[in-house]
Amino acid sequence: MSQQISEPEPLRALIEALRCLPGVGERSSRRMAYHLLQHDPRGAQRLGEALCRAVEGVGHCRRCNGFSEDEICAMCSSD
């Protein structure tokens, strides 16, 4: 009879969040989460902060649809 290990909810949420990345399944997301929490907590913190900043501060250029911090990217707004 196999016993399932109970994981804390924040860990479970991290594993599920990592699964949204292309090509990342359950095992890969679990490995990434464990690595970040066990071996690189500062890297995990930087990753979280960078992701939040990117989501909040980067959008699409209205002209070319490339990524930009402004409505019109630097390339489209230059002469």
Side-chain angles (χ1 to χ4, degrees):
M1 186 165 161
S2 68
Q3 214 175 10
Q4 189 137 2
I5 298 172
S6 176
E7 295 169 333
E9 178 52 34
L11 175 57
R12 184 79 225 136
L14 175 59
I15 292 167
E16 286 302 312
L18 290 167
R19 287 188 70 186
C20 77
L21 297 170
V24 177
E26 175 75 24
R27 286 176 41 187
S28 294
S29 64
R30 184 177 306 281
R31 284 188 200 115
M32 286 185 238
Y34 285 11
H35 172 80
L36 287 169
L37 295 178
Q38 289 177 346
H39 302 290
D40 194 6
R42 285 189 180 158
Q45 189 71 40
R46 282 192 319 272
L47 176 63
E49 291 168 1
L51 183 57
C52 285
R53 282 193 313 273
V55 167
E56 292 171 0
V58 176
H60 291 282
C61 172
R62 288 179 45 197
R63 289 190 185 155
C64 70
N65 206 34
F67 288 111
S68 177
E69 291 180 83
D70 302 310
E71 281 190 34
I72 306 296
C73 72
M75 181 79 79
C76 290
S77 64
S78 70
D79 292 335

